[in-house]
């Protein structure tokens, strides 16, 4: 649970301003971006995701390096990614 | 499989290691604590210890939120889960953590409805979908996770979801570091500061470590090079007789943290007078509880919680491991009675726990260590 994983924002959902669709290692999921209220988040931005929330904006170079690292650590990241995949925080 | 074989920047790492060695004062021993479990994971995965001169020892700290939950709190959560019409939701890491009366898995096997979730928002969704059930989220984690729980409570409040509550076990990192600095067992020279906690709290709260304890702290990223660079920055400070808070991970950690995240924590939660940490005992103002204004979402007020204190098993030395007093393999049950499959202590449960990291990447058994010492 403690991992922070980078994701690329692909879409902001206009009807639900706290939510954004992100892509992480090929997986697309909704996350909550409410903690970044003081910053502008746009498609193409990278964010650090922790338990379904974006904690901070990060630059693309950092994001790619972190992803490469995470993909190399194996089990812990696979589990995190599977959990993210199974999560569906957007719908009812 | 070691660092040098797999890491793409092995040359840079070697250069850094040489610079670190050059900063060591001859005859002096250095102990640096990595506070965060994520760092422990990186250190063992990549054998960073092997890269450092023998005079530098990396000591593992208390920064694994699963590892510091005392057994009594697990029992309390299970007691809530076993009450009528309750669905208890929790992060997967918690499932195998042993309480005094077994783990969540054991309780689930006996019929309690305990479900794993990825996010507290998933727990809220379970509540929306099961209006006739009382859905409780077992909230754990440092300041990295607390804002997400707080946001979820705010969401529940704004939607008027009445069957959702949290069993709040959020802890705060600074009092734990203070407790370690005040512990007579251990003399530390500096700290590798937690990366993701610091995205929320920023770097300022660590000032007391330099100002009052005259020790350096460097907030660090999670890649092998980040950790080596942080060690280099700490050693540079020590060599120059400086003690400051520095930020190696500035590409992610803003110096001021995330004010919005801090704001939602303090809207929903306040400090408890004290909280028990596994291995560290009771620490003042070291954990969060739900504020009166959100009492309707506080499982501790909705359910009767036994609150029994459970002593850790005698054989288990997680406490000493969490304080960095012993290395995981020095524990009597490490790798024999206590393994990730059948953990006795929490440090063996979570993948960020020091024992699990050692076991998974080092596979040291006590016999092997003895053998290594003999030869």
């Amino acid at each position: 649970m403690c991992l922070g994983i980078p994701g690329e924002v692909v879409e902001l959902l206009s009807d639900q301003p706290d939510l954004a669709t992100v892509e992480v290692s090929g997986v697309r999921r909704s996350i909550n971006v409410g903690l970044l209220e003081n910053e502008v988040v746009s498609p193409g931005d990278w964010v650090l995701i922790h338990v379904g929330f974006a904690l901070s904006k990060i630059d693309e170079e950092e994001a790619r390096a972190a992803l490469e690292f995470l993909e190399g650590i194996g089990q812990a990241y696979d589990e995190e990614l599977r959990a993210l995949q199974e999560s569906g925080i957007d719908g009812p | 499989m070691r660092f040098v074989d797999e890491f793409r920047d092995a040359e840079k790492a070697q250069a850094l290691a040489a610079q670190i060695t050059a900063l060591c004062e001859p005859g002096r021993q250095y102990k640096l604590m990595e506070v965060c479990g994520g760092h422990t994971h990186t250190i063992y995965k990549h054998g960073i210890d092997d890269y450092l001169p023998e005079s530098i020892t990396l000591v593992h700290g208390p920064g694994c939120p699963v590892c510091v939950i005392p057994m009594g709190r697990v029992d309390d959560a299970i007691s809530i889960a076993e009450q009528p019409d309750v669905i208890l939701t929790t992060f997967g890491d918690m499932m195998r953590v042993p309480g005094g009366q077994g783990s969540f898995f054991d309780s689930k096997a006996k019929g309690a409805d305990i479900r794993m979730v990825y996010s507290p928002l998933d727990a809220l969704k379970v509540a929306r979908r099961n209006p006739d059930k009382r859905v409780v989220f077992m909230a754990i984690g440092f300041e990295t996770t607390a804002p997400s729980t707080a946001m979820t409570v705010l969401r529940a409040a704004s939607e008027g979801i009445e069957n959702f509550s949290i069993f709040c076990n959020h802890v705060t990192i600074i009092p734990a570091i203070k407790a370690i600095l005040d512990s007579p067992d251990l003399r530390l020279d500096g700290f590798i500061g937690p990366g993701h906690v610091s995205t929320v709290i920023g770097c300022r709260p660590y000032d007391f470590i330099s100002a009052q304890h005259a020790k350096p702290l460097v907030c660090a990223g999670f890649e092998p090079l980040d950790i080596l660079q942080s060690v280099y920055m700490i050693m540079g400070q020590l060599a120059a007789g400086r003690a400051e808070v520095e930020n190696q991970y500035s590409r992610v950690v803003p110096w001021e943290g995330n004010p919005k995240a801090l704001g939602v924590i303090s809207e929903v939660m306040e400090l408890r007078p004290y909280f028990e940490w596994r291995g560290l005992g009771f620490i003042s103002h070291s954990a969060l509880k739900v504020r009166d204004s959100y009492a309707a979402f506080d499982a501790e007020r909705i359910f009767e919680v036994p609150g029994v204190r459970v002593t850790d098993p005698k054989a288990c030395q997680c406490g000493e491991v969490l304080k960095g007093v012993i290395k995981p393999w020095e524990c009597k049950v490490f790798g024999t009675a206590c393994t990730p499959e059948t953990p006795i202590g929490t440090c063996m449960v979570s993948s960020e726990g020091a024992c699990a990291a050692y076991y998974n990447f080092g596979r040291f058994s006590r016999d092997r260590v003895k053998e290594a010492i003999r030869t």
Side-chain angles (χ1 to χ4, degrees), chain B residues 146-181:
Chain B
S148 304
T149 303
M151 286 286 277
T152 304
V153 170
L154 291 173
R155 185 78 190 256
S158 75
E159 285 184 36
I161 299 178
E162 290 174 358
N163 64 328
F164 176 78
S165 62
I166 64 165
F167 181 46
C168 191
N169 293 281
H170 284 298
V171 285
T172 57
I173 194 71
I174 297 295
I177 296 179
K178 277 194 177 131
I180 282 166
L181 280 166

Side-chain angles (χ1 to χ4, degrees), chain B residues 20 35 41 50 73 85 101 115 130 150 161 206 214 252 261 268 282 287 301 310 333 358:
Chain B
I20 290 169
V35 175
H41 194 96
D50 297 349
R73 293 298 279 188
D85 301 322
Q101 313 289 328
R115 303 183 189 179
N130 295 276
I161 299 178
Y206 304 114
V252 173
V268 175
F282 287 92
R301 301 188 217 209
V310 182
V333 291
Y358 243 93

Side-chain angles (χ1 to χ4, degrees), chain B residues 66-145:
Chain B
V66 175
C67 304
V68 299
I69 297 288
M71 294 174 81
R73 293 298 279 188
V74 175
D75 289 348
D76 286 346
I78 288 174
S79 142
I80 294 172
E82 289 174 350
Q83 293 184 41
D85 301 322
V86 168
I87 301 174
L88 183 78
T89 52
T90 180
F91 294 133
D93 305 41
M94 278 305 298
M95 292 298 287
R96 279 182 300 124
V97 174
Q101 313 289 328
S103 67
F104 287 171
F105 265 131
D106 298 328
S107 172
K108 190 177 163 72
K110 280 188 257 166
D113 193 345
I114 302 181
R115 303 183 189 179
M116 279 186 268
V117 290
Y118 164 72
S119 166
L121 288 172
D122 288 325
L124 188 62
K125 191 169 170 178
V126 173
R128 270 191 220 108
R129 286 185 172 178
N130 295 276
D132 53 338
K133 299 279 188 186
R134 302 184 285 173
V135 176
V136 181
F137 175 62
M138 169 88 183
I140 64 158
F142 286 92
E143 288 92 335
T144 327
T145 320

Side-chain angles (χ1 to χ4, degrees), chain B residues 101-347:
Chain B
Q101 313 289 328
S103 67
F104 287 171
F105 265 131
D106 298 328
S107 172
K108 190 177 163 72
K110 280 188 257 166
D113 193 345
I114 302 181
R115 303 183 189 179
M116 279 186 268
V117 290
Y118 164 72
S119 166
L121 288 172
D122 288 325
L124 188 62
K125 191 169 170 178
V126 173
R128 270 191 220 108
R129 286 185 172 178
N130 295 276
D132 53 338
K133 299 279 188 186
R134 302 184 285 173
V135 176
V136 181
F137 175 62
M138 169 88 183
I140 64 158
F142 286 92
E143 288 92 335
T144 327
T145 320
S148 304
T149 303
M151 286 286 277
T152 304
V153 170
L154 291 173
R155 185 78 190 256
S158 75
E159 285 184 36
I161 299 178
E162 290 174 358
N163 64 328
F164 176 78
S165 62
I166 64 165
F167 181 46
C168 191
N169 293 281
H170 284 298
V171 285
T172 57
I173 194 71
I174 297 295
I177 296 179
K178 277 194 177 131
I180 282 166
L181 280 166
D182 292 338
S183 159
D185 308 350
L186 194 64
R187 188 193 60 84
L188 293 169
D189 297 280
F191 289 89
I192 299 171
H196 292 152
V197 162
S198 307
T199 59
V200 173
I201 67 172
C203 297
R204 256 180 232 294
Y206 304 114
D207 278 347
F208 76 98
I209 297 173
S210 53
Q212 291 166 31
H213 296 271
K215 296 183 197 301
L217 178 141
V218 175
C219 287
F222 291 89
E223 293 186 62
L225 269 190
D226 288 328
I227 293 180
L228 280 176
Q229 199 188 349
S230 303
V231 171
Y232 172 69
M233 289 165 75
I234 294 170
M235 293 302 291
Q237 288 197 36
L238 291 172
R242 287 186 294 127
E244 290 165 21
V245 178
E246 292 181 311
N247 187 5
Q248 183 273 336
Y249 201 30
S250 59
R251 58 194 199 271
V252 173
V253 173
W255 193 262
E256 301 294 339
N258 180 334
K260 165 78 182 179
L262 291 170
V264 295
I265 296 176
S266 86
E267 164 69 22
V268 175
M269 300 168 197
E270 61 186 338
L271 284 173
R272 292 175 191 268
Y274 55 86
F275 192 74
E276 187 187 4
W277 291 55
R278 187 171 181 132
L280 300 177
F282 287 92
I283 307 177
S284 305
H285 301 115
S286 65
L288 298 163
K289 63 173 181 170
V290 178
R291 276 188 194 279
D292 288 346
S293 38
Y294 293 91
F297 302 95
D298 184 1
E300 281 177 87
R301 301 188 217 209
I302 297 170
F303 299 92
E304 205 168 302
V305 178
V308 177
R309 193 168 173 241
V310 182
T311 318
D312 288 330
K314 274 210 178 77
C316 172
Q317 292 180 283
C318 278
E320 281 94 333
V321 172
L322 285 166
K323 283 189 282 187
V325 176
I326 64 166
K327 291 281 186 180
W329 52 265
E330 291 173 303
C331 173
K332 290 187 286 295
V333 291
F334 176 82
T336 53
C338 185
T339 63
E341 288 72 38
T342 53
I344 294 177
T346 43
C347 299

